[in-house]
Amino acid sequence: MPAPEHMRAAVNLVWECRTLCMETLYDHCLVMGGPHVAPDHVKAMTDCIQACQVCADFMTRGSDAHAVQCAACAEVCEACARSCAGIDSPQMQRCADICRRCAKTCRDMSRATVAA
Amino acid sequence: MPAPEHMRAAVNLVWECRTLCMETLYDHCLVMGGPHVAPDHVKAMTDCIQACQVCADFMTRGSDAHAVQCAACAEVCEACARSCAGIDSPQMQRCADICRRCAKTCRDMSRATVAA
Amino acid sequence: MPAPEHMRAAVNLVWECRTLCMETLYDHCLVMGGPHVAPDHVKAMTDCIQACQVCADFMTRGSDAHAVQCAACAEVCEACARSCAGIDSPQMQRCADICRRCAKTCRDMSRATVAA
Amino acid sequence: MPAPEHMRAAVNLVWECRTLCMETLYDHCLVMGGPHVAPDHVKAMTDCIQACQVCADFMTRGSDAHAVQCAACAEVCEACARSCAGIDSPQMQRCADICRRCAKTCRDMSRATVAA
């Protein structure tokens, strides 16, 4: 298990990423249309929202299996970051940025097996 | 992507596993008490319920990232199966059995990258 | 609490509704575009998917509070049915139909306080 | 729709309530045992965690149906507060307190139909 303060910081970032993705999908993408509502992009955003949820909940419960969910979340966030980065708008770049940071943190948490 | 009929059969089994784990946790484990409500066991059941949810939803959406969630779900189901198998009651053995079958199917779906 | 067999039939219908809404949103609406991806319609479908989830889970757990979630789900399903009915395609009409049936069942379950 | 700043404050409180209930259920109740793992109490906590999730997501999406989910969440939080208040431990009283505050805020949001 990672140290509690690392875990809590990670949970906060994962929730921040989930919230920004959700607000962006419903308040920005659906309103803008075009490439913002391409099926693969909407699926990538939806996948990210759901993977973040699960990853944060596993960490909050202190489940032994949090590492596997963090690893899965890292991959899903990276895919979402790529999808966001390919759409030319400042909001999508903000979303890509937090997805990349969330992916990095989840990757770190998936490897942290000893409290430090 | 796996073939649609394999995907649908997998989704059905994953939901069946999730439903049995949920019914078992709330109607059996909480009522029986003792080892049935040991923190690690309740977490393992809760993890399984949530991992199955996400895995089924990724497959239902036809998300490219379903493989990574299926792989994560397989690990979580195996851990739940071990936890259930360690408790001496017929209901827990039924739960262990479906978790093992669900894990095997999720493992298969995580590797199926070509429609067959 | 409603009788177990009524509860189980209701849970099955609610899951069926959730699955059809999810498949329709990701495989049909996002592909068709236009009114199928209008923000209010996508929100109505997403709301329905999530309300059905919660309603089914409360019934599966046998929670005393299932009645309030069934009543909420009924309203959300009715709103989704109206949104679907306003879009001219056979798939949306199928979706409207199951949302209406789900709403009726959830309404019934929200009122069933005595096992019958 | 309530004013955006009221909505955001409400979402934050609902998430805070959900997180405390989740941490309390898995780190405190399951460890303490006895009345802390009575089936009705665990169901009340689980109901609260899930109702808060849905309520927060409906508000975050800006869904028209947020009022009905806020009303449902208020009832579920009140039931959880009563269940927590009946267990003699400081952690359960903290949990009861945030559930009561969350219920009040959700009740307010369910009635706020005009931006103020």
Side-chain angles (χ1 to χ4, degrees), chain C residues 65, chain D residues 17 20-22 24-25 29 40-49 51-52 73-87 92 95-100 103:
Chain D
C17 179
L20 188 66
C21 284
M22 192 178 276
T24 301
L25 177 56
C29 295
D40 283 351
H41 178 62
V42 175
K43 286 183 187 181
M45 297 284 280
T46 306
D47 288 356
C48 187
I49 291 166
C52 285
C73 189
E75 287 203 36
V76 172
C77 286
E78 282 160 12
C80 188
R82 283 193 299 272
S83 184
C84 292
I87 300 175
M92 297 319 300
C95 206
D97 179 59
I98 200 165
C99 287
R100 270 187 222 108

PDB file of all heavy atoms in Angstrom, chain C residues 65, chain D residues 17 20-22 24-25 29 40-49 51-52 73-87 92 95-100 103:
ATOM      1  N   ALA C  65     -34.929   2.081   1.290  1.00  0.00           N
ATOM      2  CA  ALA C  65     -35.062   3.307   0.506  1.00  0.00           C
ATOM      3  C   ALA C  65     -35.288   3.038  -0.978  1.00  0.00           C
ATOM      4  O   ALA C  65     -35.239   3.969  -1.782  1.00  0.00           O
ATOM      5  CB  ALA C  65     -33.820   4.175   0.701  1.00  0.00           C
TER       6      ALA C  65
ATOM      7  N   CYS D  17     -19.514  14.199   1.672  1.00  0.00           N
ATOM      8  CA  CYS D  17     -20.362  13.259   2.414  1.00  0.00           C
ATOM      9  C   CYS D  17     -20.105  11.837   1.928  1.00  0.00           C
ATOM     10  O   CYS D  17     -19.915  10.912   2.728  1.00  0.00           O
ATOM     11  CB  CYS D  17     -21.836  13.646   2.243  1.00  0.00           C
ATOM     12  SG  CYS D  17     -22.988  12.537   3.087  1.00  0.00           S
ATOM     13  N   LEU D  20     -16.631  10.595   3.131  1.00  0.00           N
ATOM     14  CA  LEU D  20     -16.578  10.266   4.557  1.00  0.00           C
ATOM     15  C   LEU D  20     -17.353   8.979   4.840  1.00  0.00           C
ATOM     16  O   LEU D  20     -16.909   8.133   5.633  1.00  0.00           O
ATOM     17  CB  LEU D  20     -17.127  11.417   5.423  1.00  0.00           C
ATOM     18  CG  LEU D  20     -16.912  11.186   6.921  1.00  0.00           C
ATOM     19  CD1 LEU D  20     -15.427  11.189   7.283  1.00  0.00           C
ATOM     20  CD2 LEU D  20     -17.648  12.223   7.769  1.00  0.00           C
ATOM     21  N   CYS D  21     -18.510   8.814   4.197  1.00  0.00           N
ATOM     22  CA  CYS D  21     -19.282   7.574   4.402  1.00  0.00           C
ATOM     23  C   CYS D  21     -18.482   6.365   3.923  1.00  0.00           C
ATOM     24  O   CYS D  21     -18.483   5.316   4.583  1.00  0.00           O
ATOM     25  CB  CYS D  21     -20.614   7.632   3.644  1.00  0.00           C
ATOM     26  SG  CYS D  21     -21.839   8.672   4.455  1.00  0.00           S
ATOM     27  N   MET D  22     -17.800   6.504   2.787  1.00  0.00           N
ATOM     28  CA  MET D  22     -17.040   5.374   2.251  1.00  0.00           C
ATOM     29  C   MET D  22     -15.859   5.043   3.162  1.00  0.00           C
ATOM     30  O   MET D  22     -15.634   3.873   3.503  1.00  0.00           O
ATOM     31  CB  MET D  22     -16.565   5.675   0.834  1.00  0.00           C
ATOM     32  CG  MET D  22     -16.026   4.441   0.129  1.00  0.00           C
ATOM     33  SD  MET D  22     -15.518   4.775  -1.589  1.00  0.00           S
ATOM     34  CE  MET D  22     -17.086   4.613  -2.427  1.00  0.00           C
ATOM     35  N   THR D  24     -15.581   5.738   6.317  1.00  0.00           N
ATOM     36  CA  THR D  24     -16.103   5.263   7.595  1.00  0.00           C
ATOM     37  C   THR D  24     -16.565   3.814   7.495  1.00  0.00           C
ATOM     38  O   THR D  24     -16.271   2.992   8.377  1.00  0.00           O
ATOM     39  CB  THR D  24     -17.272   6.161   8.059  1.00  0.00           C
ATOM     40  OG1 THR D  24     -16.786   7.499   8.190  1.00  0.00           O
ATOM     41  CG2 THR D  24     -17.849   5.689   9.384  1.00  0.00           C
ATOM     42  N   LEU D  25     -17.269   3.487   6.399  1.00  0.00           N
ATOM     43  CA  LEU D  25     -17.762   2.122   6.235  1.00  0.00           C
ATOM     44  C   LEU D  25     -16.616   1.109   6.175  1.00  0.00           C
ATOM     45  O   LEU D  25     -16.648   0.081   6.870  1.00  0.00           O
ATOM     46  CB  LEU D  25     -18.629   2.023   4.975  1.00  0.00           C
ATOM     47  CG  LEU D  25     -19.180   0.635   4.623  1.00  0.00           C
ATOM     48  CD1 LEU D  25     -19.971   0.035   5.772  1.00  0.00           C
ATOM     49  CD2 LEU D  25     -20.057   0.719   3.375  1.00  0.00           C
ATOM     50  N   CYS D  29     -16.376   0.958  10.340  1.00  0.00           N
ATOM     51  CA  CYS D  29     -17.472   0.031  10.632  1.00  0.00           C
ATOM     52  C   CYS D  29     -17.023  -1.426  10.530  1.00  0.00           C
ATOM     53  O   CYS D  29     -17.276  -2.223  11.447  1.00  0.00           O
ATOM     54  CB  CYS D  29     -18.649   0.263   9.688  1.00  0.00           C
ATOM     55  SG  CYS D  29     -19.420   1.887   9.900  1.00  0.00           S
ATOM     56  N   ASP D  40     -28.819  -3.564   8.304  1.00  0.00           N
ATOM     57  CA  ASP D  40     -29.506  -2.311   7.985  1.00  0.00           C
ATOM     58  C   ASP D  40     -28.563  -1.114   7.989  1.00  0.00           C
ATOM     59  O   ASP D  40     -28.751  -0.177   7.204  1.00  0.00           O
ATOM     60  CB  ASP D  40     -30.667  -2.059   8.967  1.00  0.00           C
ATOM     61  CG  ASP D  40     -31.872  -2.925   8.639  1.00  0.00           C
ATOM     62  OD1 ASP D  40     -31.870  -3.583   7.579  1.00  0.00           O
ATOM     63  OD2 ASP D  40     -32.818  -2.947   9.451  1.00  0.00           O
ATOM     64  N   HIS D  41     -27.558  -1.146   8.861  1.00  0.00           N
ATOM     65  CA  HIS D  41     -26.613  -0.019   8.895  1.00  0.00           C
ATOM     66  C   HIS D  41     -25.715  -0.018   7.655  1.00  0.00           C
ATOM     67  O   HIS D  41     -25.511   1.022   7.025  1.00  0.00           O
ATOM     68  CB  HIS D  41     -25.760  -0.064  10.170  1.00  0.00           C
ATOM     69  CG  HIS D  41     -24.753   1.031  10.226  1.00  0.00           C
ATOM     70  ND1 HIS D  41     -25.114   2.369  10.248  1.00  0.00           N
ATOM     71  CD2 HIS D  41     -23.399   1.017  10.187  1.00  0.00           C
ATOM     72  CE1 HIS D  41     -24.015   3.109  10.257  1.00  0.00           C
ATOM     73  NE2 HIS D  41     -22.976   2.316  10.215  1.00  0.00           N
ATOM     74  N   VAL D  42     -25.194  -1.199   7.306  1.00  0.00           N
ATOM     75  CA  VAL D  42     -24.322  -1.272   6.119  1.00  0.00           C
ATOM     76  C   VAL D  42     -25.111  -0.886   4.872  1.00  0.00           C
ATOM     77  O   VAL D  42     -24.597  -0.190   3.985  1.00  0.00           O
ATOM     78  CB  VAL D  42     -23.697  -2.676   5.982  1.00  0.00           C
ATOM     79  CG1 VAL D  42     -22.896  -2.779   4.686  1.00  0.00           C
ATOM     80  CG2 VAL D  42     -22.802  -2.985   7.176  1.00  0.00           C
ATOM     81  N   LYS D  43     -26.366  -1.329   4.787  1.00  0.00           N
ATOM     82  CA  LYS D  43     -27.206  -0.939   3.642  1.00  0.00           C
ATOM     83  C   LYS D  43     -27.432   0.571   3.624  1.00  0.00           C
ATOM     84  O   LYS D  43     -27.397   1.198   2.564  1.00  0.00           O
ATOM     85  CB  LYS D  43     -28.549  -1.673   3.685  1.00  0.00           C
ATOM     86  CG  LYS D  43     -28.464  -3.144   3.310  1.00  0.00           C
ATOM     87  CD  LYS D  43     -29.860  -3.772   3.306  1.00  0.00           C
ATOM     88  CE  LYS D  43     -29.776  -5.280   3.097  1.00  0.00           C
ATOM     89  NZ  LYS D  43     -31.121  -5.909   3.069  1.00  0.00           N
ATOM     90  N   ALA D  44     -27.678   1.154   4.784  1.00  0.00           N
ATOM     91  CA  ALA D  44     -27.926   2.604   4.850  1.00  0.00           C
ATOM     92  C   ALA D  44     -26.691   3.386   4.391  1.00  0.00           C
ATOM     93  O   ALA D  44     -26.803   4.377   3.661  1.00  0.00           O
ATOM     94  CB  ALA D  44     -28.312   3.014   6.274  1.00  0.00           C
ATOM     95  N   MET D  45     -25.511   2.931   4.800  1.00  0.00           N
ATOM     96  CA  MET D  45     -24.270   3.595   4.387  1.00  0.00           C
ATOM     97  C   MET D  45     -24.047   3.418   2.877  1.00  0.00           C
ATOM     98  O   MET D  45     -23.675   4.357   2.174  1.00  0.00           O
ATOM     99  CB  MET D  45     -23.072   3.001   5.147  1.00  0.00           C
ATOM    100  CG  MET D  45     -23.093   3.184   6.648  1.00  0.00           C
ATOM    101  SD  MET D  45     -22.654   4.869   7.174  1.00  0.00           S
ATOM    102  CE  MET D  45     -20.844   4.810   7.072  1.00  0.00           C
ATOM    103  N   THR D  46     -24.267   2.202   2.393  1.00  0.00           N
ATOM    104  CA  THR D  46     -24.069   1.914   0.970  1.00  0.00           C
ATOM    105  C   THR D  46     -25.070   2.707   0.122  1.00  0.00           C
ATOM    106  O   THR D  46     -24.711   3.257  -0.932  1.00  0.00           O
ATOM    107  CB  THR D  46     -24.219   0.400   0.708  1.00  0.00           C
ATOM    108  OG1 THR D  46     -23.331  -0.304   1.579  1.00  0.00           O
ATOM    109  CG2 THR D  46     -23.904   0.055  -0.731  1.00  0.00           C
ATOM    110  N   ASP D  47     -26.311   2.761   0.577  1.00  0.00           N
ATOM    111  CA  ASP D  47     -27.335   3.559  -0.113  1.00  0.00           C
ATOM    112  C   ASP D  47     -26.894   5.018  -0.215  1.00  0.00           C
ATOM    113  O   ASP D  47     -27.055   5.667  -1.249  1.00  0.00           O
ATOM    114  CB  ASP D  47     -28.663   3.520   0.654  1.00  0.00           C
ATOM    115  CG  ASP D  47     -29.369   2.182   0.565  1.00  0.00           C
ATOM    116  OD1 ASP D  47     -28.876   1.279  -0.152  1.00  0.00           O
ATOM    117  OD2 ASP D  47     -30.418   2.025   1.224  1.00  0.00           O
ATOM    118  N   CYS D  48     -26.346   5.524   0.890  1.00  0.00           N
ATOM    119  CA  CYS D  48     -25.948   6.927   0.943  1.00  0.00           C
ATOM    120  C   CYS D  48     -24.797   7.198  -0.038  1.00  0.00           C
ATOM    121  O   CYS D  48     -24.813   8.185  -0.776  1.00  0.00           O
ATOM    122  CB  CYS D  48     -25.537   7.281   2.372  1.00  0.00           C
ATOM    123  SG  CYS D  48     -25.211   9.028   2.608  1.00  0.00           S
ATOM    124  N   ILE D  49     -23.823   6.297  -0.042  1.00  0.00           N
ATOM    125  CA  ILE D  49     -22.683   6.439  -0.962  1.00  0.00           C
ATOM    126  C   ILE D  49     -23.173   6.490  -2.408  1.00  0.00           C
ATOM    127  O   ILE D  49     -22.756   7.342  -3.194  1.00  0.00           O
ATOM    128  CB  ILE D  49     -21.691   5.253  -0.755  1.00  0.00           C
ATOM    129  CG1 ILE D  49     -21.002   5.369   0.608  1.00  0.00           C
ATOM    130  CG2 ILE D  49     -20.675   5.179  -1.885  1.00  0.00           C
ATOM    131  CD1 ILE D  49     -20.268   4.105   1.056  1.00  0.00           C
ATOM    132  N   ALA D  51     -26.363   7.099  -3.558  1.00  0.00           N
ATOM    133  CA  ALA D  51     -27.284   8.218  -3.832  1.00  0.00           C
ATOM    134  C   ALA D  51     -26.497   9.522  -3.999  1.00  0.00           C
ATOM    135  O   ALA D  51     -26.832  10.354  -4.855  1.00  0.00           O
ATOM    136  CB  ALA D  51     -28.308   8.347  -2.705  1.00  0.00           C
ATOM    137  N   CYS D  52     -25.457   9.714  -3.198  1.00  0.00           N
ATOM    138  CA  CYS D  52     -24.617  10.916  -3.319  1.00  0.00           C
ATOM    139  C   CYS D  52     -23.927  10.955  -4.677  1.00  0.00           C
ATOM    140  O   CYS D  52     -23.855  12.007  -5.326  1.00  0.00           O
ATOM    141  CB  CYS D  52     -23.567  10.955  -2.210  1.00  0.00           C
ATOM    142  SG  CYS D  52     -24.233  11.409  -0.601  1.00  0.00           S
ATOM    143  N   CYS D  73     -31.804  11.844  -2.822  1.00  0.00           N
ATOM    144  CA  CYS D  73     -30.565  11.810  -2.041  1.00  0.00           C
ATOM    145  C   CYS D  73     -30.808  12.352  -0.629  1.00  0.00           C
ATOM    146  O   CYS D  73     -30.262  11.816   0.343  1.00  0.00           O
ATOM    147  CB  CYS D  73     -29.479  12.613  -2.748  1.00  0.00           C
ATOM    148  SG  CYS D  73     -27.836  12.427  -2.018  1.00  0.00           S
ATOM    149  N   ALA D  74     -31.617  13.394  -0.521  1.00  0.00           N
ATOM    150  CA  ALA D  74     -31.923  13.967   0.790  1.00  0.00           C
ATOM    151  C   ALA D  74     -32.563  12.914   1.705  1.00  0.00           C
ATOM    152  O   ALA D  74     -32.179  12.772   2.877  1.00  0.00           O
ATOM    153  CB  ALA D  74     -32.846  15.174   0.645  1.00  0.00           C
ATOM    154  N   GLU D  75     -33.512  12.155   1.177  1.00  0.00           N
ATOM    155  CA  GLU D  75     -34.164  11.122   1.996  1.00  0.00           C
ATOM    156  C   GLU D  75     -33.195  10.023   2.415  1.00  0.00           C
ATOM    157  O   GLU D  75     -33.191   9.557   3.560  1.00  0.00           O
ATOM    158  CB  GLU D  75     -35.338  10.486   1.230  1.00  0.00           C
ATOM    159  CG  GLU D  75     -36.540  11.407   1.118  1.00  0.00           C
ATOM    160  CD  GLU D  75     -37.831  10.628   0.875  1.00  0.00           C
ATOM    161  OE1 GLU D  75     -37.997   9.523   1.426  1.00  0.00           O
ATOM    162  OE2 GLU D  75     -38.681  11.151   0.127  1.00  0.00           O
ATOM    163  N   VAL D  76     -32.348   9.623   1.460  1.00  0.00           N
ATOM    164  CA  VAL D  76     -31.388   8.549   1.747  1.00  0.00           C
ATOM    165  C   VAL D  76     -30.358   9.019   2.776  1.00  0.00           C
ATOM    166  O   VAL D  76     -29.984   8.265   3.687  1.00  0.00           O
ATOM    167  CB  VAL D  76     -30.719   8.080   0.434  1.00  0.00           C
ATOM    168  CG1 VAL D  76     -29.571   7.116   0.715  1.00  0.00           C
ATOM    169  CG2 VAL D  76     -31.752   7.422  -0.482  1.00  0.00           C
ATOM    170  N   CYS D  77     -29.908  10.271   2.658  1.00  0.00           N
ATOM    171  CA  CYS D  77     -28.937  10.808   3.622  1.00  0.00           C
ATOM    172  C   CYS D  77     -29.547  10.927   5.019  1.00  0.00           C
ATOM    173  O   CYS D  77     -28.852  10.682   6.022  1.00  0.00           O
ATOM    174  CB  CYS D  77     -28.436  12.188   3.178  1.00  0.00           C
ATOM    175  SG  CYS D  77     -27.277  12.124   1.806  1.00  0.00           S
ATOM    176  N   GLU D  78     -30.820  11.325   5.073  1.00  0.00           N
ATOM    177  CA  GLU D  78     -31.473  11.415   6.383  1.00  0.00           C
ATOM    178  C   GLU D  78     -31.566  10.037   7.047  1.00  0.00           C
ATOM    179  O   GLU D  78     -31.329   9.899   8.251  1.00  0.00           O
ATOM    180  CB  GLU D  78     -32.876  12.027   6.243  1.00  0.00           C
ATOM    181  CG  GLU D  78     -32.834  13.549   6.080  1.00  0.00           C
ATOM    182  CD  GLU D  78     -34.110  14.117   5.466  1.00  0.00           C
ATOM    183  OE1 GLU D  78     -35.117  13.367   5.377  1.00  0.00           O
ATOM    184  OE2 GLU D  78     -34.086  15.298   5.059  1.00  0.00           O
ATOM    185  N   ALA D  79     -31.893   9.026   6.251  1.00  0.00           N
ATOM    186  CA  ALA D  79     -31.965   7.666   6.793  1.00  0.00           C
ATOM    187  C   ALA D  79     -30.588   7.210   7.275  1.00  0.00           C
ATOM    188  O   ALA D  79     -30.460   6.577   8.330  1.00  0.00           O
ATOM    189  CB  ALA D  79     -32.509   6.709   5.733  1.00  0.00           C
ATOM    190  N   CYS D  80     -29.547   7.553   6.518  1.00  0.00           N
ATOM    191  CA  CYS D  80     -28.185   7.175   6.920  1.00  0.00           C
ATOM    192  C   CYS D  80     -27.787   7.923   8.201  1.00  0.00           C
ATOM    193  O   CYS D  80     -27.169   7.334   9.092  1.00  0.00           O
ATOM    194  CB  CYS D  80     -27.202   7.481   5.790  1.00  0.00           C
ATOM    195  SG  CYS D  80     -25.536   6.859   6.095  1.00  0.00           S
ATOM    196  N   ALA D  81     -28.151   9.200   8.297  1.00  0.00           N
ATOM    197  CA  ALA D  81     -27.840   9.988   9.497  1.00  0.00           C
ATOM    198  C   ALA D  81     -28.483   9.350  10.727  1.00  0.00           C
ATOM    199  O   ALA D  81     -27.851   9.241  11.786  1.00  0.00           O
ATOM    200  CB  ALA D  81     -28.322  11.431   9.321  1.00  0.00           C
ATOM    201  N   ARG D  82     -29.744   8.908  10.590  1.00  0.00           N
ATOM    202  CA  ARG D  82     -30.423   8.256  11.728  1.00  0.00           C
ATOM    203  C   ARG D  82     -29.701   6.971  12.112  1.00  0.00           C
ATOM    204  O   ARG D  82     -29.516   6.680  13.299  1.00  0.00           O
ATOM    205  CB  ARG D  82     -31.883   7.939  11.358  1.00  0.00           C
ATOM    206  CG  ARG D  82     -32.802   9.155  11.400  1.00  0.00           C
ATOM    207  CD  ARG D  82     -34.287   8.749  11.339  1.00  0.00           C
ATOM    208  NE  ARG D  82     -34.618   8.031  10.116  1.00  0.00           N
ATOM    209  CZ  ARG D  82     -34.997   8.606   8.966  1.00  0.00           C
ATOM    210  NH1 ARG D  82     -35.079   9.931   8.882  1.00  0.00           N
ATOM    211  NH2 ARG D  82     -35.285   7.889   7.904  1.00  0.00           N
ATOM    212  N   SER D  83     -29.293   6.197  11.110  1.00  0.00           N
ATOM    213  CA  SER D  83     -28.604   4.938  11.390  1.00  0.00           C
ATOM    214  C   SER D  83     -27.264   5.192  12.090  1.00  0.00           C
ATOM    215  O   SER D  83     -26.926   4.519  13.066  1.00  0.00           O
ATOM    216  CB  SER D  83     -28.389   4.166  10.079  1.00  0.00           C
ATOM    217  OG  SER D  83     -27.807   2.903  10.341  1.00  0.00           O
ATOM    218  N   CYS D  84     -26.525   6.194  11.609  1.00  0.00           N
ATOM    219  CA  CYS D  84     -25.220   6.530  12.216  1.00  0.00           C
ATOM    220  C   CYS D  84     -25.405   7.063  13.637  1.00  0.00           C
ATOM    221  O   CYS D  84     -24.637   6.712  14.546  1.00  0.00           O
ATOM    222  CB  CYS D  84     -24.495   7.583  11.384  1.00  0.00           C
ATOM    223  SG  CYS D  84     -23.945   6.976   9.772  1.00  0.00           S
ATOM    224  N   ALA D  85     -26.403   7.918  13.816  1.00  0.00           N
ATOM    225  CA  ALA D  85     -26.617   8.560  15.114  1.00  0.00           C
ATOM    226  C   ALA D  85     -26.934   7.535  16.200  1.00  0.00           C
ATOM    227  O   ALA D  85     -26.689   7.772  17.387  1.00  0.00           O
ATOM    228  CB  ALA D  85     -27.737   9.601  15.015  1.00  0.00           C
ATOM    229  N   GLY D  86     -27.466   6.378  15.792  1.00  0.00           N
ATOM    230  CA  GLY D  86     -27.841   5.345  16.752  1.00  0.00           C
ATOM    231  C   GLY D  86     -26.667   4.485  17.220  1.00  0.00           C
ATOM    232  O   GLY D  86     -26.849   3.590  18.047  1.00  0.00           O
ATOM    233  N   ILE D  87     -25.483   4.735  16.673  1.00  0.00           N
ATOM    234  CA  ILE D  87     -24.312   3.943  17.066  1.00  0.00           C
ATOM    235  C   ILE D  87     -23.365   4.843  17.849  1.00  0.00           C
ATOM    236  O   ILE D  87     -23.005   5.924  17.411  1.00  0.00           O
ATOM    237  CB  ILE D  87     -23.594   3.353  15.829  1.00  0.00           C
ATOM    238  CG1 ILE D  87     -24.559   2.443  15.058  1.00  0.00           C
ATOM    239  CG2 ILE D  87     -22.355   2.572  16.254  1.00  0.00           C
ATOM    240  CD1 ILE D  87     -24.000   1.911  13.752  1.00  0.00           C
ATOM    241  N   MET D  92     -19.016   7.776  14.094  1.00  0.00           N
ATOM    242  CA  MET D  92     -20.375   7.665  13.562  1.00  0.00           C
ATOM    243  C   MET D  92     -21.124   8.984  13.738  1.00  0.00           C
ATOM    244  O   MET D  92     -21.980   9.327  12.925  1.00  0.00           O
ATOM    245  CB  MET D  92     -21.148   6.520  14.255  1.00  0.00           C
ATOM    246  CG  MET D  92     -20.591   5.126  14.043  1.00  0.00           C
ATOM    247  SD  MET D  92     -19.990   4.737  12.356  1.00  0.00           S
ATOM    248  CE  MET D  92     -21.469   4.984  11.387  1.00  0.00           C
ATOM    249  N   CYS D  95     -20.106  11.192  10.982  1.00  0.00           N
ATOM    250  CA  CYS D  95     -20.769  10.734   9.754  1.00  0.00           C
ATOM    251  C   CYS D  95     -22.242  11.185   9.753  1.00  0.00           C
ATOM    252  O   CYS D  95     -22.752  11.649   8.730  1.00  0.00           O
ATOM    253  CB  CYS D  95     -20.656   9.210   9.672  1.00  0.00           C
ATOM    254  SG  CYS D  95     -20.715   8.580   8.003  1.00  0.00           S
ATOM    255  N   ALA D  96     -22.900  11.047  10.900  1.00  0.00           N
ATOM    256  CA  ALA D  96     -24.299  11.497  11.013  1.00  0.00           C
ATOM    257  C   ALA D  96     -24.399  12.984  10.724  1.00  0.00           C
ATOM    258  O   ALA D  96     -25.336  13.438  10.045  1.00  0.00           O
ATOM    259  CB  ALA D  96     -24.834  11.189  12.419  1.00  0.00           C
ATOM    260  N   ASP D  97     -23.421  13.733  11.225  1.00  0.00           N
ATOM    261  CA  ASP D  97     -23.452  15.180  11.057  1.00  0.00           C
ATOM    262  C   ASP D  97     -23.354  15.584   9.588  1.00  0.00           C
ATOM    263  O   ASP D  97     -24.130  16.405   9.108  1.00  0.00           O
ATOM    264  CB  ASP D  97     -22.300  15.809  11.848  1.00  0.00           C
ATOM    265  CG  ASP D  97     -22.267  17.318  11.685  1.00  0.00           C
ATOM    266  OD1 ASP D  97     -23.280  17.958  12.042  1.00  0.00           O
ATOM    267  OD2 ASP D  97     -21.264  17.843  11.172  1.00  0.00           O
ATOM    268  N   ILE D  98     -22.406  14.987   8.860  1.00  0.00           N
ATOM    269  CA  ILE D  98     -22.273  15.396   7.452  1.00  0.00           C
ATOM    270  C   ILE D  98     -23.463  14.894   6.630  1.00  0.00           C
ATOM    271  O   ILE D  98     -23.889  15.559   5.686  1.00  0.00           O
ATOM    272  CB  ILE D  98     -20.913  14.948   6.849  1.00  0.00           C
ATOM    273  CG1 ILE D  98     -20.636  15.811   5.601  1.00  0.00           C
ATOM    274  CG2 ILE D  98     -20.901  13.480   6.508  1.00  0.00           C
ATOM    275  CD1 ILE D  98     -19.219  15.757   5.106  1.00  0.00           C
ATOM    276  N   CYS D  99     -24.021  13.748   7.005  1.00  0.00           N
ATOM    277  CA  CYS D  99     -25.212  13.251   6.291  1.00  0.00           C
ATOM    278  C   CYS D  99     -26.380  14.215   6.474  1.00  0.00           C
ATOM    279  O   CYS D  99     -27.136  14.475   5.533  1.00  0.00           O
ATOM    280  CB  CYS D  99     -25.604  11.857   6.779  1.00  0.00           C
ATOM    281  SG  CYS D  99     -24.475  10.568   6.207  1.00  0.00           S
ATOM    282  N   ARG D 100     -26.515  14.758   7.694  1.00  0.00           N
ATOM    283  CA  ARG D 100     -27.607  15.718   7.943  1.00  0.00           C
ATOM    284  C   ARG D 100     -27.398  16.994   7.127  1.00  0.00           C
ATOM    285  O   ARG D 100     -28.337  17.527   6.549  1.00  0.00           O
ATOM    286  CB  ARG D 100     -27.647  16.067   9.435  1.00  0.00           C
ATOM    287  CG  ARG D 100     -28.543  15.154  10.247  1.00  0.00           C
ATOM    288  CD  ARG D 100     -28.666  15.653  11.694  1.00  0.00           C
ATOM    289  NE  ARG D 100     -28.580  14.526  12.621  1.00  0.00           N
ATOM    290  CZ  ARG D 100     -27.542  14.268  13.414  1.00  0.00           C
ATOM    291  NH1 ARG D 100     -26.487  15.074  13.436  1.00  0.00           N
ATOM    292  NH2 ARG D 100     -27.567  13.214  14.197  1.00  0.00           N
ATOM    293  N   ALA D 103     -28.080  16.246   3.520  1.00  0.00           N
ATOM    294  CA  ALA D 103     -29.530  16.127   3.286  1.00  0.00           C
ATOM    295  C   ALA D 103     -30.165  17.502   3.161  1.00  0.00           C
ATOM    296  O   ALA D 103     -30.998  17.745   2.276  1.00  0.00           O
ATOM    297  CB  ALA D 103     -30.181  15.337   4.420  1.00  0.00           C
TER     298      ALA D 103
END
